[in-house]
Structure formats: C-alpha cells, structure tokens
Amino acid sequence: MKQLDPVSLSEFKKQFPIFKDIPDNEFTYHNGKWLISLKAAKQLAYKHKHKKLIKYINGVEGKNK
C-alpha cells in the first residue's frame, strides 16, 4: 500500500471544516492520521448536540449521565 504524504494541520482543517474551531494543540499526528483530544471531541459533541457521543464521552470520563 502506498504511503500518503502527511497533510499539514491547516490543510486538514480546510478539508474538514468541522474542526476549524478546535485549537491546534488539541490535535496529534499519529500513524499518518490527525487525531483530536477527548476535550476537542467533547467540544464538538456539545456544539452539534450529538447525544450519543456526549453520553459516550461522559462514560469515558467516569460520569454517569
């Protein structure tokens, strides 16, 4: 399988505008992929009112809601 050239974070954010409001320090580049922190996932879940994701994140954080 051909290895793709890494995409800069700014280019990644242009490709996926949902991440535009997430601070750069909440991203990590790992094994050729940009990953977001739990804090960033939580921010997106609340912003987009994604109830299942909010419930999952609360479970990961040990909060039973």
Side-chain angles (χ1 to χ4, degrees):
M1 182 182 216
K2 184 181 175 193
Q3 182 73 14
L4 298 174
D5 290 335
V7 175
S8 70
L9 182 54
S10 61
E11 185 62 34
F12 179 77
K13 285 182 167 185
K14 285 178 189 173
Q15 290 176 12
F16 301 98
I18 193 169
F19 297 116
K20 71 178 188 243
D21 295 329
I22 304 296
D24 289 355
N25 65 338
E26 297 298 328
F27 288 86
T28 303
Y29 194 75
H30 182 72
N31 287 340
K33 297 178 183 175
W34 283 107
L35 307 175
I36 59 171
S37 68
L38 181 60
K39 180 180 174 183
K42 189 174 185 178
Q43 178 183 338
L44 286 172
Y46 279 98
K47 180 178 180 180
H48 297 281
K49 299 177 176 95
H50 195 291
K51 292 180 182 183
K52 287 184 180 181
L53 185 55
I54 293 168
K55 185 176 178 180
Y56 175 78
I57 289 169
N58 285 334
V60 168
E61 292 181 327
K63 299 175 186 172
N64 294 326
K65 288 189 176 181

